[in-house]
Amino acid sequence: MTLSFLIGVDGGGTGTRARLCDTRGQVLGQGNAGPSSLSHGVPGAWLQILQAVERAFAAAALPTPRWQDCALGAGLAGVNAPEQAAAFRAANPGFSTLVVDTDSFTALVGAHAGEPGLVLIAGTGSVAEVWRPDGTRRIAGGWGFPIGDEGGGAWLGLEAVRLAQQTIDGRATPGPLSEAVCRATGHDADSMLNWCARANQTAYAGLAPLVFDHAETDAQAAALLDASVLALDALVHALDPQEKLPVVCSGSVAKRLQNRLPSVLRQRCREPRGDAADGALHLLRLKLAEAP
């Protein structure tokens, strides 16, 4: 077997990115595909990952090789569910080396370039993870939509839909946010129910930008962003109550909310030194270095 390529994958509830490198770490290309969170199912996750990988080879103007000539590291939403993670590993289509961890941990490793720190992720979902100087790691949040992921995009969208439902019922006063949600989902109960019956976490997350768009003109939208900030701050505090470690905010929602975070937390925020695909590649290289 000849190892020719290293691939780092960042897979979440909204999309998948695959970064293709040669064995020296030189980036050759990148490909994107649909969501590969394991909540969408293992076959669907592999389908999107392989599509992203094939597109990375196409972007590099290279033919897709045999998978046994490639090593793949992946950070995926849903890997913290042991049965899903085991099923994903068992479905490996043939990569010579496969390293899989949570998307939060690969984001953490990439953000701090393999050094101790904390990452706060809020995109479609929400989670925080810490890697302490003593080598221990711990996670807060990441329980998945709809039971958890407070403060993330799908949660914001769900809360916005609840507000719109209340205005349809007459339980709440219509405002710019509820009107915008109704335009997207339906102005009457039947239309709203049909939309909700079809919607998944990605669909709800697609409504989150409406909350940001109307926060300056709608007190209800501003209140939802305040609630999101409180939820995200609680994740960080649970992992680092001494408030000592550097923090990187990752994901579209966390980045847009960074200036709204409490000042003590905001002062600890740093620019990321890399992303989740970099983190997946870092873990992959560590695994390969351990091989005899």
Side-chain angles (χ1 to χ4, degrees):
M1 181 196 73
T2 301
L3 180 62
S4 302
F5 301 103
L6 307 182
I7 303 164
V9 171
D10 173 24
T14 302
T16 300
R17 291 181 301 121
R19 185 162 299 145
L20 172 65
C21 300
D22 62 22
T23 55
R24 297 170 297 174
Q26 178 70 37
V27 176
L28 303 176
Q30 182 165 298
N32 300 309
S36 57
S37 167
L38 297 191
S39 64
H40 292 282
V42 167
W46 271 116
L47 177 68
Q48 298 300 332
I49 289 168
L50 295 181
Q51 188 172 83
V53 170
E54 289 168 355
R55 288 173 178 172
F57 276 100
L62 292 170
T64 303
R66 302 176 305 167
W67 295 137
Q68 57 261 42
D69 296 332
C70 306
L72 186 139
L76 303 176
V79 169
N80 52 336
E83 290 184 0
Q84 290 185 154
F88 180 83
R89 292 186 178 95
N92 178 4
F95 290 101
S96 61
T97 300
L98 175 64
V99 175
V100 185
D101 214 306
T102 65
D103 56 341
S104 59
F105 189 63
T106 54
L108 168 60
V109 173
H112 297 284
E115 297 180 359
L118 191 150
V119 66
L120 170 63
I121 304 172
T124 301
S126 68
V127 66
E129 190 156 356
V130 65
W131 199 6
R132 299 188 178 98
D134 64 4
T136 60
R137 52 186 280 200
R138 186 170 167 240
I139 193 169
W143 291 100
F145 181 83
I147 194 65
D149 284 353
E150 299 93 328
W155 180 89
L156 276 173
L158 178 62
E159 293 300 311
V161 168
R162 283 176 173 156
L163 174 63
Q165 290 173 344
Q166 291 167 12
T167 64
I168 290 173
D169 285 349
R171 290 180 286 151
T173 302
L177 174 59
S178 62
E179 285 296 318
V181 172
C182 285
R183 284 194 296 273
T185 62
H187 280 87
D188 57 73
D190 287 344
S191 298
M192 177 72 75
L193 286 170
N194 286 334
W195 187 92
C196 292
R198 297 189 303 268
N200 58 16
Q201 61 179 355
T202 305
Y204 280 106
L207 300 177
L210 298 178
V211 184
F212 287 95
D213 292 346
H214 295 91
E216 299 299 323
T217 58
D218 189 322
Q220 293 170 318
L224 285 182
L225 293 187
D226 289 341
S228 182
V229 165
L230 287 175
L232 299 181
D233 182 52
L235 293 176
V236 175
H237 184 76
L239 298 180
D240 186 24
Q242 291 78 28
E243 300 177 344
K244 292 182 178 180
L245 291 171
V247 178
V248 168
C249 292
S250 178
S252 57
V253 172
K255 290 176 180 176
R256 294 190 71 172
L257 288 176
Q258 187 166 332
N259 289 335
R260 291 176 174 261
L261 295 174
S263 60
V264 173
L265 174 53
R266 206 164 56 242
Q267 290 167 8
R268 293 161 54 207
C269 290
R270 304 287 185 269
E271 288 298 313
R273 297 164 65 184
D275 61 16
D278 292 321
L281 285 164
H282 181 86
L283 295 178
L284 180 59
R285 285 190 289 268
L286 289 178
K287 179 69 173 180
L288 291 171
E290 295 173 357

